[in-house]
């Protein structure tokens, strides 16, 4: 087997906070600065591992929606196009940051990079389409919300548009991604959970929905056959009694334990629940390890010393 074939493959899913931290305005300078933390570690890890990088797009797609609201004369773009835009923009930012870090390590020539626009198939009969639940984009007043052409829901911040978040069924580019990995490329893909599409005969078309990036990443990790699946976010890992004085980091979880904590309601939908579900799915289907950790601890978590480690 060649050198690349012998290496293990990591899939690292970067959360939105890898680019924009809570409380920041989210300028491009801030985003590039924040990215250095995970990307420096990924550059080092790429010496030893093949690598797939996926990423969130919550704040980025939210800003694009806000821009659309403010420029009413320009035809509005559907959500699937906005997801594609964020795959391009965040893919570019990750790729160029990684390029600089690989250059600094002197290994740029051994590590070609590529960002892929990625489509993810969903089921048109997914029950999520009947009850859109994922809040996205700007906050509206009650009066504004009543006049909007799409469903909204009252959230802590105010009224927000809600869209369906169907389950991912398969990643269209899985074979291309596998091939690129085996050719030695670092592949950046599945941004924002992928562009949601439904099959129509032999072709497919985009739908107004968003796919959870952790669930899409877990699926890709299984379809490509990665050895280790890492979700990097802004907390040290999954905790019980989160946000209370009894809060405690879970260091090691079997599927049965994770299932129990899920049922007890320790992990809310839309943030920690999909991460734990994604880890569970990967571990159950592959018998390999999945980890939830902070963006600052990616390198350490591979050694098994940080984060929440999911094992059989
Ligand atoms: P990402 O952009 O990385 O996907 P999310 O905001 O979706 O990040 O999920 C991470 C957030 O989940 C943390 O910032 C934390 O506030 C929240 N969270 C909710 N419940 C828990 C829990 N039980 N343990 C850890 N974090 C939790
Ligand atoms: Mg999330």
């Amino acid at each position: 087997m060649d050198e690349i074939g012998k290496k293990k493959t990591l899939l690292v899913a970067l959360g939105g906070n890898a680019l924009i931290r809570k409380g920041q305005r989210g300028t491009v300078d801030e985003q590039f600065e924040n990215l250095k933390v995970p990307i420096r570690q990924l550059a080092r890890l790429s010496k030893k591992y093949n690598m797939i990088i996926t990423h969130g797009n919550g704040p980025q797609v939210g800003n694009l929606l806000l821009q659309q609201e403010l420029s009413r004369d320009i035809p509005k773009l559907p959500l699937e196009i906005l997801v594609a835009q964020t795959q391009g923009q965040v893919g570019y930012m990750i790729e160029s940051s990684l390029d600089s870090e690989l250059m600094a390590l002197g290994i740029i020539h051994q590590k070609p990079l590529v960002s892929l626009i990625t489509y993810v198939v969903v089921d048109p009969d997914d029950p999520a389409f009947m009850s859109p639940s994922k809040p996205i984009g700007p906050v509206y007043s009650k009066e504004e919300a009543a006049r909007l052409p799409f469903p909204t829901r009252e959230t802590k911040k105010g009224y927000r548009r809600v869209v369906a978040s169907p389950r991912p069924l398969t990643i269209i580019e899985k074979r291309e991604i596998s091939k690129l990995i085996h050719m030695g490329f670092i592949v950046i893909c599945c941004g924002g959970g992928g562009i949601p599409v439904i099959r129509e005969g032999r072709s497919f078309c985009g739908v107004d929905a968003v796919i959870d990036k952790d669930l899409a990443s877990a699926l890709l990790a299984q379809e490509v056959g990665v050895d280790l699946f890492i979700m990097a976010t802004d907390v040290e890992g999954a905790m019980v009694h989160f946000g209370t004085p009894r809060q405690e980091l879970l260091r090691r979880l079997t599927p049965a334990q994770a299932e129990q904590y899920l049922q007890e309601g320790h992990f809310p939908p839309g943030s920690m629940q999909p991460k734990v579900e994604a880890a569970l799915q990967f571990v159950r289907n592959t018998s390999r390890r999945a980890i939830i950790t902070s963006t600052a601890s990616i390198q350490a978590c591979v050694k098994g010393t940080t984060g929440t480690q999911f094992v059989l």
Side-chain angles (χ1 to χ4, degrees), residues 14-17 22 213-214 232-235 237-240 242 266-268 270-272 275:
L14 296 177
N17 65 285
K22 282 186 184 118
K213 72 116 183 14
D214 295 312
T233 184
D234 60 351
V235 283
M239 302 177 211
V240 282
F242 180 71
H266 287 282
F267 314 125
S271 61
M272 201 39 74
K275 287 187 201 304

Side-chain angles (χ1 to χ4, degrees), residues 270-284:
S271 61
M272 201 39 74
Q273 180 180 305
K275 287 187 201 304
V276 173
E277 281 179 356
L280 248 178
Q281 208 185 88
F282 178 78
V283 172
R284 277 204 172 124

